């Protein structure tokens, strides 16, 4: 994923990116690759709040803002998503 994003970031300009990573999250290099895509909107689906928070911190530092958060299960289990928008767009 890291290499794909690194090679495609200069060519692609998506309006929306949707990610649904494993419990380990995206990781720093993949989040960097997403940031370099300059997508105005990123939707992140997660089942692990710790890795979601880690990756979101990096997105916020890059100029994205949290627009919406949802809990899909409606109970004490965590499975949700959020949408971030770039403040630079």
């Amino acid at each position: 994923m890291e290499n794909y994003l690194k090679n495609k970031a200069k060519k692609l300009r998506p309006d929306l990116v949707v990610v649904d990573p494993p419990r380990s999250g995206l990781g720093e290099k993949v989040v960097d690759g997403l940031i370099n895509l300059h997508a105005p909107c990123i939707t992140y689906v997660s089942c692990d709040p710790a890795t979601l928070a880690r990756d979101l911190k990096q997105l916020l530092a890059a100029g994205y803002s949290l627009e919406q958060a949802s809990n899909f299960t409606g109970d004490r289990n965590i499975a949700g998503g959020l949408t971030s928008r770039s403040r630079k767009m």
Side-chain angles (χ1 to χ4, degrees):
M1 180 59 84
E2 297 155 19
N3 289 333
Y4 176 82
L5 288 171
K6 185 176 180 180
N7 293 329
K8 295 294 183 180
K10 295 175 185 173
K11 299 173 186 168
L12 297 176
R13 288 294 175 246
D15 293 324
L16 169 68
V17 174
V18 178
V19 294
D20 185 3
R23 291 188 188 277
S24 60
L26 295 173
E28 185 177 342
K29 290 181 181 179
V30 173
V31 175
D32 279 342
L34 290 178
I35 292 166
N36 288 330
L37 288 175
H38 303 287
C41 184
I42 298 174
T43 298
Y44 189 124
V45 179
S46 177
C47 59
D48 187 331
T51 57
L52 171 63
R54 179 200 65 210
D55 295 342
L56 180 60
K57 181 179 178 182
Q58 192 175 347
L59 289 168
L60 293 174
Y64 284 87
S65 63
L66 180 60
E67 183 175 277
Q68 181 178 346
S70 302
N71 179 355
F72 299 146
T73 63
D75 60 20
R76 62 187 171 95
N77 295 313
I78 301 294
L82 61 86
T83 300
S84 298
R85 289 217 180 259
S86 176
R87 294 181 287 217
K88 297 175 184 176
M89 295 295 173

